Amino acid sequence: MASTPPQVVFGSSEAKPDREGTKDSLGNIRETGVFCVNIVEFAARDAMNASSAPHPREIDEFEAAGVVKAPCETIPCCRVASAPAALECRLTRIVRLAGEANWAVFGAVTGVHLRDDCLVDGRFDVTRYQPLARLGYRDYATVREVFSMTRPTLPA
Ligand SMILES: Cc1cc2nc3c(=O)[nH]c(=O)nc-3n(C[C@H](O)[C@H](O)[C@H](O)COP(=O)(O)O)c2cc1C
């Protein structure tokens, strides 16, 4: 949502019976004040999908989905060890949205992990890992072709 300082937001919708008015992600964030955003690549699609199962709160979803975790460095939280990129975040704001269990969760990025093989000449190179995008219904897409464009400037 912002680059200086870097900030992110995600939406949490719906609730689980064992979490009052929300799901485990937001419940955990309320308790700890931190969260980690892990970028998903095509190779991790099945584990990503497995992690969306509505497990009871006491279940470790890293283990349930067969995902290896690594400790974050700036926050007391785990990240996905093999993710192409991970953003360590401190909670800054939770905004209640219209409806029963709809929330926008804002965080400030306190640490960034970029996988070594995704770095080319000091740049994070999306052609190295095939980003996964969610579409509608049960559909997803991968990015296989990338092009660049330079933004126009106005004459002085
Ligand atoms: C690709 C994908 C994207 C999702 N995005 C969201 C989202 O933005 N917000 C949300 O509340 N749930 C989203 N879900 C559903 C959650 O993964 C699911 O409700 C999960 O059980 C929440 O787990 P938790 O209780 O550990 O928070 C998504 C699921 C998938 C597979």
Side-chain angles (χ1 to χ4, degrees):
M1 302 304 290
S3 52
T4 312
Q7 292 156 79
V8 298
V9 66
F10 75 92
S12 179
S13 281
E14 300 178 0
K16 258 163 31 94
D18 61 353
R19 280 284 187 188
E20 211 162 292
T22 190
K23 298 189 282 194
D24 292 329
S25 299
L26 181 49
N28 289 334
I29 292 168
R30 279 196 175 120
E31 283 164 18
T32 62
V34 298
F35 62 97
C36 185
V37 177
N38 298 277
I39 302 303
V40 182
E41 63 184 331
F42 182 70
R45 63 195 179 285
D46 290 328
M48 180 277 303
N49 198 36
S51 78
S52 73
H55 290 291
R57 60 191 289 175
E58 62 276 9
I59 296 296
D60 182 330
E61 295 187 11
F62 280 92
E63 280 176 24
V67 173
V68 176
K69 52 182 140 173
C72 288
E73 286 170 35
T74 64
I75 55 171
C77 176
C78 291
R79 63 187 175 89
V80 174
S82 64
L87 305 176
E88 300 184 2
C89 302
R90 269 196 191 284
L91 173 68
T92 53
R93 191 176 298 185
I94 298 174
V95 176
R96 182 170 203 158
L97 304 177
E100 275 301 301
N102 301 320
W103 306 91
V105 184
F106 291 78
V109 179
T110 57
V112 176
H113 297 264
L114 304 176
R115 211 172 63 201
D116 282 347
D117 63 299
C118 298
L119 278 174
V120 179
D121 297 332
R123 282 182 51 138
F124 189 62
D125 189 328
V126 293
T127 64
R128 292 294 178 105
Y129 70 93
Q130 291 193 351
L132 196 65
R134 188 189 185 186
L135 306 177
Y137 309 106
R138 295 178 186 174
D139 298 341
Y140 295 84
T142 57
V143 176
R144 294 208 171 91
E145 257 180 56
V146 175
F147 61 91
S148 301
M149 291 196 289
T150 303
R151 284 199 209 165
T153 51
L154 297 179

